[in-house]
Amino acid sequence: MPSYYKVGFVTFAQNTEHVDYLKLAYLQAMNVKNTQEFALTPCAVIVDKETYTQINDNHRRAFEYIIVLEDDYNSADSNWKLANECQIYDLSPFDVTIKVESDLLFTR
């Protein structure tokens, strides 16, 4: 892969009444930066409008990109937001997207 491609990690964080996915995504971004050889690889999070209201300065430091999901049409009436993930490659700011679930941590 040519070195000029922009590579990065992307995850979704759409909070529900039961799970704080933004918190999980934040921990994951910190985990990536501390465990991966290519720790300078940027991290992006995709959030819905409601979750975006919870973004703070720590999130802004952890994620190089915070992307607001403008259309929640795939899972607007669902508490399980997995249906929106089909939009990831359209929303990703990267040429090469490493898609990870927000509750995934790297051990080394």
Side-chain angles (χ1 to χ4, degrees):
M1 167 173 36
S3 60
Y4 55 82
Y5 279 125
K6 194 157 122 181
V7 178
F9 290 90
V10 180
T11 192
F12 271 84
Q14 290 184 262
N15 288 348
T16 68
E17 63 183 87
H18 303 290
V19 182
D20 185 345
Y21 287 103
L22 181 59
K23 183 176 184 177
L24 294 174
Y26 170 76
L27 292 172
Q28 178 187 78
M30 300 308 294
N31 173 256
V32 164
K33 294 171 187 321
N34 286 300
T35 63
Q36 300 308 297
E37 292 180 22
F38 42 97
L40 295 178
T41 301
C43 293
V45 63
I46 300 170
V47 298
D48 56 25
K49 292 174 184 174
E50 187 174 325
T51 304
Y52 183 76
T53 64
Q54 299 172 32
I55 297 289
N56 62 39
D57 289 341
N58 289 331
H59 299 117
R60 288 184 183 88
R61 283 190 291 274
F63 298 107
E64 284 75 15
Y65 299 90
I66 298 171
I67 302 157
V68 178
L69 180 66
E70 294 298 326
D71 243 335
D72 191 14
Y73 58 85
N74 289 325
S75 64
D77 297 328
S78 175
N79 201 24
W80 195 46
K81 301 297 185 175
L82 186 63
N84 282 320
E85 294 195 10
C86 64
Q87 300 178 62
I88 196 159
Y89 297 106
D90 293 329
L91 297 171
S92 174
F94 307 117
D95 299 316
V96 178
T97 297
I98 304 167
K99 197 280 185 206
V100 288
E101 294 296 318
S102 61
D103 58 356
L104 179 139
L105 294 178
F106 296 92
T107 58
R108 50 179 145 148

